[in-house]
Amino acid sequence: MAMKQTDKGVAGKGTGEIFRVAGPVVTATGLRPRMYDVQFVGEEQLLGEVIQIMGDKTVIQVYEDTSGVKPGEVVMDTGAPLVVELGPGLLGSIYDGVQRPLPILQKVMGDFILRGVKSPGLTREKLWRFNPKVKQGQAVAPGEVVGTVQEAKNVEHRIMVPPNFRGGKVAQLKEGTFKVDEVVVQLDNGEQVKLVQTWPVRRARPVRERLMPTIPLVTGQRVLDFLFPIAKGGTAAIPGGFGTGKCVTGDTFVHTAAGGRRRIEDLFAEARGTVTRNPNETTIHLSEPIEVFSLEGQRVTTRMATHVYRGLTRGLVSIRTKNRRHLKVTPVHKLFRVTDRVEEVPAILLDPGDSIAIPQGTEGLASDRILEASYDPGTSLVYDLTVPESHNFVGGNLPTFLHNTVTEQQLSKWCDAQVVIYIGCGERGNEMTEVLSTFPKLIDPYTGAPLMERMSLIANTSNMPVAAREASVYTGMTLAEYYRDMGYNVALMADSTSRWAEAMREISSRLEEMPGEEGFPAYLSARLSEFYERAGRAKTLSGLEGSVSVVGAVSPSGGDFSEPVTQGTLRIVKVFWALDTALRARRHFPAINWLQSYSLYTQILEDWFRKNVNEEWPRLRAWTQRTLQEEAELEEIVRLVGADALPPDQQLTLEVARMIREIFLQQNAYHAVDTFCPPERQFKLISAIKKYSDLGQKAVKLDVPTKDVASLKSRELLTRVKYESEFDKELTNTLTQMDEEFKRLGAT
Amino acid sequence: MPTEYRTITEIAGPLIFVEKTEWVGYGELVEVGLPDGTRKRGQVLDSSKDIVVVQVFEGTAGIDRQSTVKFLGETIKLNVSRDMLGRILSGAGEPIDGGPPIVPEKRVEITGSAINPYSREHPAEFIQTGISTIDGLNTLVRGQKLPLFSGAGLPHNEVALQIARQAKVLGSQEPFGVVFAAMGITHEEARVFMDDFERTGALRRAVLFLNLADDPAVERLITPRMALTAAEYLAYEVGMHILVILTDMTNYAEALRQIGAAREEVPGRRGYPGYMYTDLATMYERAGRIHGRKGSITQIPIMSIPDDDWTHPIADLTGYITEGQMAIARDLHRKAIYPPVDPLPSLSRLMDAGIGKDRTREDHKQVADQLYAAYAEGKDVRGLVAIVGKEALSDRDRKMLEFADRFEQEFIRQGAEEDRTIEQTLEIGWKLLATLDEAWLTKVDRKTLEKYHPAHRAGSPGPERKVPV
C-alpha cells in the first residue's frame, strides 16, 4: 500500500474519533473525508476505506481484524484513495489483497498475519538501471514512455509519465541506477516522473482508444484454442461447483419443500408405496407423499406429490434456455409459457423465443427465454410426479460443475501473454500454497526463464480479512492495466469472483443495506460489469497496443446457475468454459464439457486462425463440433439398444467421436510434451483424425466391419502421437501407415 | 478492577444491550453477574459510544436489568499448556473432569490469525487411516481439512473414531495427538468418543472440548475456536501432529444463525448469516503446515447434512473451503456395509501430492483411477438392470456389475477394528481389477500392469475366473 505511513502519519488530512465498532465496519465522527479515501483506524492504525458518509458520521470498512478496537480511539484521514504502487519489481512478487508483499510480512510478523503492519508494495532498497528514451527539451504527454528498466530477463519495464500528470517538456533527465522512489525525469511544469507511480485501484487507467479483440490468446490447450478460443482482451468465465459428483448432467431435479433438490430418479428409487407395473411403465402410489413446490396461478406454493412414475418414451424434447437451463421432457409434457399471462403448453409446441416460467427463490416467478428447442427421437426413460390439484412440480436441471484449479494454472503457464496476474481471492490456503510453491519453480515455455519473472500473484485466502478480499480484484486489475499501458498483453486470472461477490455481500449486510437477490447488494451486477469492462484490447496513451484478458472463476453455491453472481457474470463474459463433474468422474481432463461451453469469439478470430495456422481451421472446427454433437445424440440410443444395433457409418461416427475426445480433447497437464500443444500441432492432430474418419467412412461403405477399422494399428499409433517430442516425424509415419492400412482394406 | 455496570437496557435472545459504559473494545470478554450470584460470560458484538451489545455464552436465562456487567478489558483467551493432553474441558475451556485447573504456559487469543500463505507448506505426507476407501481412493494428507458429509442416523462418529485410532504416517515416530471438539452432540455420542479414547489409551494424547446438546447454544461459537487454539499450540509450539475432529458443524451453524437472528441481521440463504462463509473459513483454514515448524493440523469436521441435501449452505460453503469431502452414504449403510464411505462423491483434492512412489506406491494413482472408473461404470449398469433386466446385458456390463458388488463387499467393507496397510488396500484393488478383462484397464499403463497385475506376477495363480450365474 502506497499511502504512506513511511512518513509516520504526517500525510494526515484530519483526525476523528471512533464512535462504533461492529466487526470490520467502524463508524467515526469528526472527519471530513471523501468517499473511498483511506483512513488509519485506532491506535494500531488499521487500514480502512470510507464507504459511507452520513452527516458527521463516517463509515469505514477496515481491512484488518478489529478485535479490541474501542470507541474513542483516533482515526486519521489520509486524504487519498486506496492506491497501489506501480513500478519495476511488481513482477515476481506475491502480495496480499492490498499489495502488502507476503514475504515481507512473514519477515516482520512471522508465520501468522497480524495486524497494523504496513509495508510498501515495492521495495525501496533495490537499484534499477534506467535508460532514458526521451531527450532534453522533448515534449512528453501523459502516458508517454520516457525510458526503460530491464525488470526481468525478458520483460522490459517501460517507465511512463503517469496518466494523471499534465505533461510538458523534459527539463531534466537522469541516467544510471535508481531506487524506485527517485526522480528520473523532471518536467518543465515541475512534475516529477519517478520509477514508481501510484494509481487508485478502483479507477480504470485511461487508454486512447479501445480496439476489437481480433487476436486469440493462445493457451496451448486443444479444447480451448480449437473449440472455445478466447481473444486477447477478451473475458471468460469458468464455473465450478465444489465437485460433489452428485448432480450429473442430464438428470432432473425436483425442488422439494423440505428444502432440497432431489433427482427424480432417486425419489423414484426410494419411493415406498403401492406399485403398479404395466409394460414399460411403473407407477408408485406413495404411502408418504412428498411435499414439492408447485405453481398455482402466478404463485409458487407447496403441494403434496402422491405418485411417482417411470416409463419409456420414444422421443424427447430438448429445450435450452437463456439462463442455461436444460430441460428434457416428453413431447406432451406441459410447460408454462409466459405471454401476457401464464399458460400450459405441451413442450413440442414451444419455439425458440418463447418464454417459460421458472421459480425464483421459493416464492416468486420469473421467466426464462428459450434459445433452442429440438425433438430428439430415441427411446429413453422418463419420470414424473403426480401432484393433485395443480398437476405440476418445480424442477429442472441446472448442471453443476467441478471447478478445476488445474485448468487455471495451465492457462497461466501456457497462455501467450507477456504478463500474467493471478488473483487468489478467498481461495483455500493449501491451494494457494500450491500456486505459491509451484509457480516459482516453473519455466516459461516461451523464454526459458522462470515463469515468475512475468507473473505477479495476489493471495488473499478465505480467512484473511474480508475487506481486503473485496479490494484484491481491483488491486490485481490495476497491475494488469499498468502493464497493458506499456504495450503488453496481460492475462488476469481471478479465482474466484464468487468469493469476491460474497465479500461485497458481507460488507453490505454489515452496513445494513437493503439486500437484493439472495442477500447480495443491489449494485452487484453493476460492480461485476465494471470489473469485466476493464478488460479489453486498446491503443494506449502512448500509441502502443496492449490488452488485458480476464478469466474469472465463478463458484455458484449449490451448483445453482440461476444465482446472481453466475448470472451477472454470464451476461458480460463472452466465453464460457463449462467444467463438468461427470467428466472428472470419467477422468477426462481438462474436464471441459464440449456441448455446454461456448465462445462468442470464434467468428471474429476465424480470420486470424485462417491466416496464421491453416485456411481449413474453421471448417475442421465445425466438423469436430458436429461429430461430437452427433455422438451425444447417438449415445442415447446406444444406452438402450447397444452400439451393435447402429448402422456401420454411425458406429464409425461414434468411434471417431471417441478419438476426438480421447486423442484430441483430453490433454495431460502433467506430461512434458502434451501439456502445451501449439495451434499448428492442434491442427495437424485434428486433421489426422479427420483423415482417418474420411478413409474409415470409405472403408465402411465397402462393407469393411467397423471393428476392423477401429482396430487398425495406425489408430492406436495416433493416440500416442501427442506425447511424442518428435511430433511431426511420428505423425508423418502414422499417416503413412494409415494410408497403407486403408489401402489394404480397399479404401483410398 | 473493572467497573461493574447496572445499565442493561434490553435483553433479547442471547443478547444484552448495555448503555452508559466506558469505551469498550470490540470482541472484549464480559462477565455478567446475576442477582443470585451466578456469573455468566459473554463477548462484545457491537461497541459504540451509546450502547454495547453483548452476546452471552451461557444463555440469558435469569438475567434481569439489575444484573451487573463487567468488561474484562481483553478478548477471549485460552490457557494453553502441554498438560492439556488427557484432559476433558467444557465448551468454554474449563476443566470438567474433576482435575486441577490448567496451569497456563501461555494465554492465547482464540480467534487466531490467518497463516501467511507464503509461510504455508504444501501438504504432501500420506496419512494411513487403515480404511481402504479413504486410503486407496480419497487419500488424506497431513495438514488437510477433509470433512465427513453425513446425515442423521449414519455412522459418521464410528468412522471418525476409526480414523483417530488408526491414523499414522508411515515410517514416522513423531508425536501424534487428537483434539476433539463436540458441539451440541448428545451425552451418549460424547460418551462413545470418551469411552473409545479411554479404551484405546488415546485419551493420554487427546484434548476434549465438550459442548453437549443441553449446553448453551451460543457457547458452540467458541468451542471449535478453543479447540483449534489448543491444536495450534500443540502443533506449532510443541511440535505434535494434531488431528482435530469437530462434530457436529451443523449445530455450530445453527448457533451462528441464532445469533444473527437475535441481532436482526439481514439473513442470507436459508436464514444463515451472509458472513457464514468467512466465519467457517476462519476455522477450517486453521488446518495446515508451516515451513520450518514440526507439527501440523489436520482437520476432520463432521456435519450431518439436513435431508442429505448437499446444496444446503452448511455443506455447500464447507465444500468450498475444505479440500474435498468424504461422503457417508446412506445406500451403502442400508446394505450394512461399514464403513459406508462412498468413493464416487468423495474427493480428496490433495491426494495427488500424497501418493505415488516413495509416499505410498508407484501404482497407487493408476489403481485408484481404474477402481474409481470401474465402480462408476458398474453402478451405472446397476441402474440399467432395473430397466432392461440382466438378460440384456453385454458381457462387459455383467462383469462390471459383478465388479461393483464385489468392490462394495471386499474393498469398501471392512471391520471397525481392521487396520489395513496401504499395500493390503492396493492388493485388494488389484485382486478385484483382475476379475476384469485386461483390455478394459485403460487407466493403467503397460509397465504397471505387468508389474502388479496378479496374472503377470511370478507364481501367481492367474486371474480369478468366475462363471457368471
Side-chain angles (χ1 to χ4, degrees), chain A residues 638-650:
Chain A
V638 170
R639 210 166 291 146
L640 284 154
V641 297
D644 297 341
L646 291 178
D649 62 320
Q650 291 191 340

Side-chain angles (χ1 to χ4, degrees), chain A residues 531-551:
Chain A
F531 173 71
Y532 281 104
E533 257 316 276
R534 286 173 76 170
R537 186 165 154 252
K539 186 166 266 183
T540 67
L541 293 179
S542 52
L544 299 163
E545 256 183 47
S547 69
V548 175
S549 319
V550 177
V551 178

Side-chain angles (χ1 to χ4, degrees), chain A residues 70-92:
Chain A
K70 291 178 182 168
E73 287 185 19
V74 70
V75 177
M76 196 188 74
D77 182 7
T78 62
L82 182 67
V83 297
V84 285
E85 289 193 340
L86 302 167
L90 288 174
L91 297 184

Side-chain angles (χ1 to χ4, degrees), chain A residues 130-135 138-149 156-162 170 173 185 193 197 208 482-488 540-544:
Chain A
F130 175 71
N131 306 306
K133 294 283 178 210
V134 288
K135 296 201 172 64
Q138 187 181 332
V140 287
E144 201 162 327
V145 178
V146 294
T148 60
V149 163
E156 183 190 70
H157 192 107
R158 295 167 186 152
I159 306 297
M160 297 166 288
V161 179
V170 176
L173 191 61
V185 175
V193 180
Q197 54 174 283
R208 189 183 291 171
Y482 177 64
Y483 281 95
R484 173 204 63 198
D485 289 349
M486 291 178 208
Y488 291 126
T540 67
L541 293 179
S542 52
L544 299 163

